[in-house]
Amino acid sequence: MKMKTEEQGRTNSTGGAGRSKRQVLVIAIIAAVAGYLAVWVPWHLAGSPKNMIDGMQLISLLYLVLVGFGCGLAVPHRFWVAGLASMALFPVMAVVGVVRDPTSHSLLGMEFVMYGFLTLPALFGGAVGKVIRASLARCRK
């Protein structure tokens, strides 16, 4: 009979948790990059002279819903991660902007509130993706 070492037992018992954490991290990174692109691409294509948020296009809200929807389908039990991560790069960029030039962001608190509201489309999309995935799973049974 083969005996498991303590390290092997620990690896096997936490393998699921480690994989789940890794999956959440991957979804968060994908959602953060996709959320940034959902705002940046329409802004860039429109040629708006303002910054990304001030010159944001309405289609960006649809793209944010789609980001959440895709993540909700991929990881339904953690759909909220995609919603929160979809705008995660914007506050980071604002803080970096303030560090570089303290006069560049005079309404930093308002920006953070706006970024919080802009997570709602991705949260909505993620919830819809979760519901659709659950209904598809029920139909398969």
Side-chain angles (χ1 to χ4, degrees), residues 1-116:
M1 183 185 263
K2 212 173 190 183
M3 298 282 289
K4 285 186 182 180
T5 65
E6 185 179 328
E7 185 177 319
Q8 286 173 332
R10 203 176 317 122
T11 302
N12 290 340
S13 66
T14 61
R19 182 179 30 184
S20 177
K21 288 179 184 177
R22 205 172 20 247
Q23 187 179 40
V24 168
L25 179 63
V26 169
I27 288 296
I29 291 170
I30 289 170
V33 171
Y36 180 82
L37 291 175
V39 177
W40 182 81
V41 170
W43 169 77
H44 184 70
L45 292 177
S48 179
K50 300 177 182 180
N51 65 42
M52 269 192 287
I53 297 300
D54 291 342
M56 191 165 131
Q57 306 296 311
L58 283 177
I59 193 75
S60 294
L61 296 176
L62 175 64
Y63 291 153
L64 288 171
V65 170
L66 292 176
V67 166
F69 180 75
C71 293
L73 285 176
V75 186
H77 59 286
R78 301 268 198 251
F79 76 91
W80 54 270
V81 171
L84 297 178
S86 66
M87 294 302 291
L89 292 179
F90 289 95
V92 172
M93 291 174 19
V95 169
V96 169
V98 167
V99 169
R100 286 186 6 202
D101 179 13
T103 63
S104 65
H105 293 267
S106 59
L107 298 172
L108 190 61
M110 288 295 289
E111 282 187 52
F112 288 164
V113 169
M114 193 163 44
Y115 299 145

Side-chain angles (χ1 to χ4, degrees), residues 130-141:
K130 177 183 178 174
V131 168
I132 289 176
R133 174 137 178 204
S135 65
L136 289 174
R138 273 184 259 136
C139 289
R140 288 183 187 155
K141 289 183 181 182

